[in-house]
Amino acid sequence: MDSFLDAQLAEPLLRGIAKAGFEQPTPVQTAVIPVALEGHDLMAAAATGSGKTAAFLLPIMQQLLESPAPRAGTRALVLVPTRELASQVLDHFHAVGSYSRLTAAVIVGGDPRNHQVNALRRNPEILIATPGRLREHLETGEADLSDLAYLVLDEADRMLDMGLVEDVFAIIQQAPAERQSMLFSATLHRRGVAELAEHLLRDPLTITLDHHRSAHPDIDHQVILADDPAHKARLLHRLLETADYQRALVFSNTRDGAEQAATRLADLDIRCAVLHGELDQRERKRVMGLFRDGTVPVLVASDVAARGLDVPGVELVVNLDVPRSGDDYLHRSGRTGRAGRRGLTVTLVGAPEWNRMAGIERYLGLSVGQVALAGLEARFQGAPKRGKPIKKATKKRAAKGAAGKVEAKPKTKQRLRDRKNIGKRRQPSNGAGAKGPEGTPAGQGVEAGFDPPKRRG
Ligand code: AMP
């Protein structure tokens, strides 16, 4: 399928696709849409940002349009792990479905129950739901899945992480066995995904085209070594001050870490907001609104809060801590480089996190460049047995390069230059495609692409 026209989608959908600005199908859409239109069950390794939402919505909408059933109840169910993801799927539905007469409703925890009951009574064809709340509505009889013909489990790996699988199984028991089911997951290798697939899918086709090792060709990955939290804070500040981005997302492994980082940045006059799991729905919406409309260009988030975020124009992701797993890394970095745009993920790596980062790089097959910010180089230079100590000559070159280029240049030019450097990958010196901390002796190829930190009062 080279174009959306090849899929022979109904005219209202083609108009919706054009309105959404989708000119060509993404690779995952090319792979999934024809197979799904044939009615196959499938499981697809597709990361956020790959276009997976339209990949499952379009064939479902097409099939619903082909066989209208005005008297039927809910015919399609999209289960997602988070409220944010649910509203993004609904946005997608509105974007591509605006010329169709299909209807959809969102059922998620945190929203008023009576509104949801009213929405369910209107019998939407498509339900987009988080498992917990939908299960409750099924138990009270407000929701009914006896007409269900299409089921999607989106971000199945997240569902597993968040312990939502029991709810998923309870929901599925209420649905007819005769249905088409699709499972999407950033990775199909995560433990538990195969078991889920076994319970949910019948003779599924496996689509691994958007395999995690090649999921994000548009993202550059960099590591900056750090000595301690205070050093990380200085590095983060410098990155946010000098990199060229419209919006940046900073991730912390913990809520406290996110809060502290946001407070520190605000003290340093960086406009930022914080998003974590403890915020109530209204507050989250407000924060997301500020970030989306550009009022705050920097959002500091914990993993839980950031699941499923889809904000266009995020060009920089900073991992203040090394994520707990390769999948978390993938989800975080997937916030940038979306739909053809380039992005950059920078991970600040302290000594205790070195091995974890090396593992993530191996797991994801990432090609990670190690960079240093001039004047903020870490004493820590990688695990002693794996990396060589930084060579004096390299250090000098780096310092000279930074000083020589930077001095007396106006800030706008610095930013341009910084942008160039920040996206540059370090070339492996041994020609063997060495990747990341383990394969790359520390100190070789260290770039000094940033100005010394500005001093503030
Ligand atoms: P998803 O992976 O479904 O979360 O989609 C990521 C982003 O890509 C969303 O902002 C979509 O609007 C956008 N997108 C999806 N499909 C296409 C397409 N064919 N062309 C351009 N953008 C797309």
Side-chain angles (χ1 to χ4, degrees):
M1 191 182 94
D2 294 328
S3 118
F4 284 111
L5 293 174
D6 297 342
Q8 303 193 326
L9 296 171
E11 208 266 333
L13 295 183
L14 289 176
R15 284 173 67 196
I17 289 167
K19 188 179 164 205
F22 299 174
E23 286 169 12
Q24 280 189 326
T26 65
V28 72
Q29 290 162 1
T30 301
V32 166
I33 292 174
V35 169
L37 282 173
E38 284 172 11
H40 288 289
D41 279 12
L42 60 90
M43 54 198 289
T48 308
S50 59
K52 66 186 165 65
T53 315
F56 60 72
L57 276 182
L58 285 169
I60 290 178
M61 292 163 80
Q62 172 68 21
Q63 295 183 83
L64 291 176
L65 288 172
E66 277 171 9
S67 56
R71 281 172 216 285
T74 297
R75 298 170 71 202
L77 170 63
V78 180
L79 285 175
V80 295
T82 64
R83 296 177 288 205
E84 278 76 20
L85 195 55
S87 68
Q88 277 163 38
V89 174
L90 185 70
D91 289 348
H92 264 76
F93 168 79
H94 284 142
V96 294
S98 53
Y99 297 102
S100 77
R101 291 183 174 210
L102 297 170
T103 52
V106 162
I107 302 292
V108 289
D111 280 352
R113 229 170 268 265
N114 50 344
H115 289 190
Q116 296 181 346
V117 170
N118 289 338
L120 287 166
R121 287 197 184 133
R122 284 194 291 275
N123 242 352
E125 275 125 329
I126 303 177
L127 267 193
I128 304 157
T130 49
R133 179 58 68 88
L134 179 61
R135 185 180 182 181
E136 286 169 29
H137 283 298
L138 284 166
E139 279 165 4
T140 57
E142 304 288 356
D144 174 35
L145 297 180
S146 49
D147 289 328
L148 196 80
Y150 307 98
L151 169 75
V152 174
L153 203 65
D154 195 11
E155 301 207 351
D157 51 333
R158 288 282 157 206
M159 302 253 191
L160 286 157
D161 286 347
M162 296 171 74
L164 301 173
V165 171
E166 199 190 310
D167 289 334
V168 171
F169 284 145
I171 291 166
I172 302 312
Q173 274 178 357
Q174 313 252 345
E178 201 52 48
R179 58 167 200 264
Q180 181 182 13
S181 307
M182 307 181 223
L183 177 152
F184 289 79
S185 180
T187 166
L188 299 180
H189 298 287
R190 192 202 179 292
R191 212 182 315 131
V193 170
E195 287 81 351
L196 253 181
E198 204 169 301
H199 278 88
L200 257 61
L201 311 175
R202 275 198 313 198
D203 299 330
L205 293 169
T206 304
I207 295 174
T208 53
L209 161 135
D210 203 3
H211 186 264
H212 58 268
R213 283 171 190 272
S214 57
H216 293 295
D218 293 333
I219 301 177
D220 291 315
H221 302 269
Q222 294 182 347
V223 152
I224 300 180
L225 298 180
D227 291 324
D228 50 43
H231 187 207
K232 283 191 174 186
R234 289 197 297 277
L235 290 167
L236 175 64
H237 180 222
R238 171 81 69 80
L239 276 170
L240 293 175
E241 262 209 332
T242 55
D244 185 16
Y245 57 87
Q246 214 185 326
R247 292 189 188 83
L249 264 168
V250 178
F251 286 98
S252 160
N253 286 6
T254 62
R255 176 170 60 87
D256 286 352
E259 290 267 22
Q260 281 164 19
T263 309
R264 238 178 358 241
L265 289 173
D267 286 347
L268 293 166
D269 291 339
I270 302 263
R271 275 182 299 140
C272 67
V274 65
L275 192 72
H276 56 67
E278 305 271 298
L279 299 183
D280 65 27
Q281 180 71 340
R282 190 186 301 166
E283 190 56 16
R284 287 157 80 98
K285 275 190 183 151
R286 195 184 70 81
V287 168
M288 284 312 299
L290 292 174
F291 189 51
R292 278 212 178 88
D293 70 20
T295 310
V296 291
V298 177
L299 184 65
V300 188
S302 65
D303 281 307
V304 176
R307 276 166 199 165
L309 287 184
D310 180 17
V311 182
V314 175
E315 287 148 336
L316 175 66
V317 166
V318 183
N319 290 320
L320 198 50
D321 312 304
V322 173
R324 292 196 181 89
S325 70
D327 292 338
D328 279 346
Y329 184 97
L330 201 65
H331 275 274
R332 291 178 179 190
S333 66
R335 309 298 126 194
T336 178
R338 317 198 83 186
R341 292 202 191 94
R342 280 206 87 70
L344 172 67
T345 298
V346 181
T347 306
L348 308 185
V349 182
E353 301 171 301
W354 171 271
N355 283 340
R356 190 157 80 237
M357 187 64 205
I360 287 174
E361 290 172 32
R362 262 198 313 275
Y363 173 65
L364 298 176
L366 291 179
S367 173
V368 178
Q370 187 177 306
V371 298
L373 307 192
L376 285 181
E377 294 87 352
R379 291 186 304 281
F380 168 60
Q381 283 299 319
K385 279 185 189 156
R386 298 180 189 180
K388 290 179 195 157
I390 189 166
K391 286 179 193 158
K392 264 193 179 161
T394 315
K395 239 184 184 173
K396 262 191 201 157
R397 250 200 324 276
K400 197 176 160 204
K405 276 189 199 170
V406 167
E407 270 170 19
K409 286 201 176 173
K411 191 164 180 179
T412 46
K413 289 209 175 148
Q414 285 171 17
R415 284 189 176 218
L416 265 178
R417 201 273 331 283
D418 289 339
R419 175 68 184 157
K420 278 183 204 153
N421 280 333
I422 201 171
K424 219 187 268 173
R425 262 185 203 154
R426 187 174 58 151
Q427 295 302 316
S429 58
N430 57 9
K435 286 166 186 167
E438 219 173 357
T440 18
Q444 286 186 13
V446 167
E447 291 170 13
F450 286 78
D451 313 338
K454 292 186 184 68
R455 295 225 170 99
R456 282 173 190 270

